Amino acid sequence: RLPRHQPKECRKVYWESHPNYEQLNHYRLKGEIGQGSFGIVKLAYNEEDNSHYAMKVLSKKKLMRRAGLYGRMPPTRGNKSRIGPLEQIYREIAILKKLNHPNVVKLYEVLDDPDEDNLYMVFELVQKGPVINVPTANPLPEIKAWQYFRDIVMGIEYLHFQKIVHRDIKPSNLLLSDDDKILISDFGVCNQFEGVDAFLSDTAGTPAFVAPEVLKGTREVYSGKALDIWQMGISLYCLVYGEVPFQDINILALYTKIKSSPVHFPDKYNVSDSLKDLLSQMLEKDPKQRIKLKGIKEHKWITQNGLSLLPNEEENCRQIEITQEDIQKSIQCIPKLGTLILVKSMLKKHSFSNPFKFSNACGKKLSPLSTAQASSSESLLEKKVLPALLEINSVSIEDQ
């Protein structure tokens, strides 16, 4: 197991605008590199350790508006209270702080100034991005999908061991590292649980990856672990076929197909029978009959007929507990950027006079962040499936 890094937390944020970048405390923010469940991701250079990171930028006001705090709260199923997006983000932070696994993305720092709208989460930079873009006409060779899916299995086993269900497993949340390993990211809709499983009653994540039991429209609870297995199956299907198995422009029609249509395996790709068998077991409509994670690890496709076994749970997982002392040590307030620059310059000049006495430069607030527009060719390619690939917040089926 890698040495555990305890993320820092900063409660004071300062920024300045420059021609080619924006300065946020000790980070230089550059271009947008992606999007998460509730915010955009920017490339950030850390001047303290001379390294690049991925910084997730979220507007707390927008999150609260989406939660209905500035208007009527959306209806909930039964008497269960709804968790708003802002609360989900704080829960994501709390969860990410305790995780330490080679197949789970690492959180390095949180910048959350109570006086500012934006909240910033600093993650390790996974430069190669998503393992595959869906849809694509160039899916992965089966041997490469086998390699990557074994990483996914190990990461999800670790999360379940830590009593966390992800709920939004899909290729865009499976990032490829420089050493060709998969890192699971984006815990914006995950759930922690007590006991043996998470028993859920609402839906979240991405429509094309939603499991059939989530779509029943009843008040029955369903298994969070079984949901993760279903989404792992959809993701594995995407790796080898380049598209989701159930497609429709209309969301309700899509849900009908998820609930009732069998899985189709196109003939145009050479996929082994053992892989099709695993996919069929993972995409079993009945969650009680669906293959469990232990069964996946022992499946002949995963083990190459017993020749390549995965590490057991004891080797792969170690329970992590965070004490109050750990949390207190993780909090670090960083002084105003101008003060840091002033002190550094004074020390360099061995003088206590203000080296910027005659400067009329002043800091400017970060300009509003805009989301990147998809190219026309990408829009044309995704026209059929796009509505099913968009993320949704935690809502009941009746709301949709």
Side-chain angles (χ1 to χ4, degrees):
R1 176 70 65 241
L2 298 172
R4 184 170 178 275
H5 169 80
Q6 180 61 46
K8 295 187 294 183
E9 182 174 334
C10 177
R11 294 293 186 182
K12 204 66 180 174
V13 175
Y14 295 96
W15 58 81
E16 288 183 348
S17 180
H18 297 269
N20 299 320
Y21 65 92
E22 294 158 334
Q23 188 83 28
L24 180 71
N25 286 8
H26 50 289
Y27 292 98
R28 290 190 179 189
L29 301 187
K30 301 180 181 179
E32 182 181 325
I33 57 175
Q35 290 182 285
S37 296
F38 299 111
I40 66 167
V41 182
K42 303 200 83 174
L43 179 64
Y45 170 72
N46 187 336
E47 296 174 330
E48 291 185 344
D49 62 9
N50 194 32
S51 299
H52 285 89
Y53 294 89
M55 180 176 286
K56 192 173 183 179
V57 185
L58 309 106
S59 166
K60 288 179 277 189
K61 288 181 180 178
K62 290 182 180 178
L63 289 168
M64 287 188 289
R65 280 198 294 269
R66 196 175 296 185
L69 298 184
Y70 294 153
R72 183 178 66 85
M73 283 290 287
T76 59
R77 179 181 294 183
N79 295 323
K80 184 177 179 180
S81 60
R82 186 184 303 280
I83 298 176
L86 184 57
E87 287 78 12
Q88 286 181 340
I89 294 301
Y90 284 119
R91 181 174 61 185
E92 178 183 2
I93 292 170
I95 289 172
L96 283 167
K97 280 184 176 181
K98 66 180 280 190
L99 301 181
N100 179 42
H101 190 273
N103 299 120
V104 177
V105 70
K106 290 180 178 60
L107 174 68
Y108 279 89
E109 186 170 0
V110 178
L111 299 93
D112 182 18
D113 190 331
D115 298 328
E116 300 295 334
D117 175 43
N118 283 339
L119 181 149
Y120 307 89
M121 299 168 66
V122 183
F123 294 91
E124 65 176 309
L125 180 63
V126 189
Q127 297 198 34
K128 291 186 178 180
V131 60
I132 194 173
N133 292 312
V134 180
T136 178
N138 299 299
L140 302 178
E142 186 171 330
I143 186 62
K144 183 59 72 173
W146 174 81
Q147 173 193 331
Y148 291 156
F149 191 71
R150 282 164 59 96
D151 286 346
I152 298 168
V153 170
M154 299 303 284
I156 295 300
E157 180 184 56
Y158 174 80
L159 293 176
H160 287 183
F161 185 83
Q162 302 297 339
K163 299 187 180 299
I164 298 166
V165 289
H166 189 282
R167 303 186 71 191
D168 198 19
I169 302 166
K170 58 182 180 179
S172 61
N173 287 338
L174 304 172
L175 308 181
L176 194 58
S177 68
D178 288 338
D179 57 353
D180 211 28
K181 299 290 184 182
I182 293 293
L183 278 77
I184 300 169
S185 69
D186 202 340
F187 290 76
V189 294
C190 66
N191 272 84
Q192 283 186 293
F193 61 89
E194 300 293 335
V196 297
D197 199 351
F199 298 104
L200 310 170
S201 61
D202 56 3
T203 183
T206 309
F209 293 78
V210 170
E213 61 269 22
V214 182
L215 305 173
K216 284 184 175 181
T218 66
R219 296 184 179 181
E220 295 179 13
V221 296
Y222 60 89
S223 163
K225 287 184 177 180
L227 169 63
D228 278 357
I229 297 297
W230 173 274
Q231 293 182 339
M232 290 169 66
I234 299 290
S235 297
L236 178 56
Y237 187 100
C238 290
L239 296 186
V240 292
Y241 288 109
E243 59 186 5
V244 291
F246 307 105
Q247 303 179 27
D248 205 287
I249 297 175
N250 182 278
I251 295 296
L252 294 179
L254 169 68
Y255 287 164
T256 299
K257 290 181 179 180
I258 291 174
K259 289 186 290 184
S260 58
S261 297
V263 180
H264 174 65
F265 300 112
D267 294 329
K268 61 180 178 178
Y269 299 113
N270 185 22
V271 175
S272 67
D273 290 338
S274 60
L275 174 51
K276 291 178 183 177
D277 177 74
L278 176 58
L279 285 169
S280 296
Q281 293 191 57
M282 297 180 73
L283 299 178
E284 163 64 46
K285 306 289 187 185
D286 184 354
K288 294 180 181 179
Q289 301 299 321
R290 194 173 301 152
I291 191 171
K292 305 294 190 292
L293 198 58
K294 183 175 183 295
I296 295 175
K297 291 183 68 176
E298 297 172 351
H299 192 274
K300 58 184 178 181
W301 185 76
I302 292 291
T303 66
Q304 292 188 328
N305 294 310
L307 298 176
S308 184
L309 302 179
L310 286 171
N312 60 38
E313 185 183 72
E314 184 178 356
E315 294 170 324
N316 183 45
C317 306
R318 180 174 62 86
Q319 191 70 46
I320 295 175
E321 295 182 2
I322 304 297
T323 65
Q324 188 62 35
E325 182 180 1
D326 292 330
I327 297 174
Q328 291 174 347
K329 287 182 179 179
S330 73
I331 299 175
Q332 176 182 349
C333 293
I334 300 177
K336 188 174 181 179
L337 179 65
T339 305
L340 284 176
I341 297 174
L342 175 63
V343 171
K344 285 182 180 179
S345 180
M346 291 170 68
L347 290 173
K348 183 177 180 180
K349 294 177 179 293
H350 302 287
S351 170
F352 289 98
S353 61
N354 188 345
F356 306 112
K357 184 175 181 181
F358 301 105
S359 172
N360 60 359
C362 60
K364 297 181 181 179
K365 191 170 183 177
L366 286 174
S367 58
L369 298 166
S370 59
T371 58
Q373 300 296 318
S375 67
S376 58
S377 59
E378 290 174 334
S379 299
L380 182 62
L381 178 64
E382 299 181 2
K383 185 176 181 181
K384 181 178 180 183
V385 191
L386 182 58
L389 299 179
L390 295 175
E391 295 171 350
I392 52 176
N393 188 22
S394 179
V395 296
S396 65
I397 295 300
E398 291 90 336
D399 295 345
Q400 297 181 56

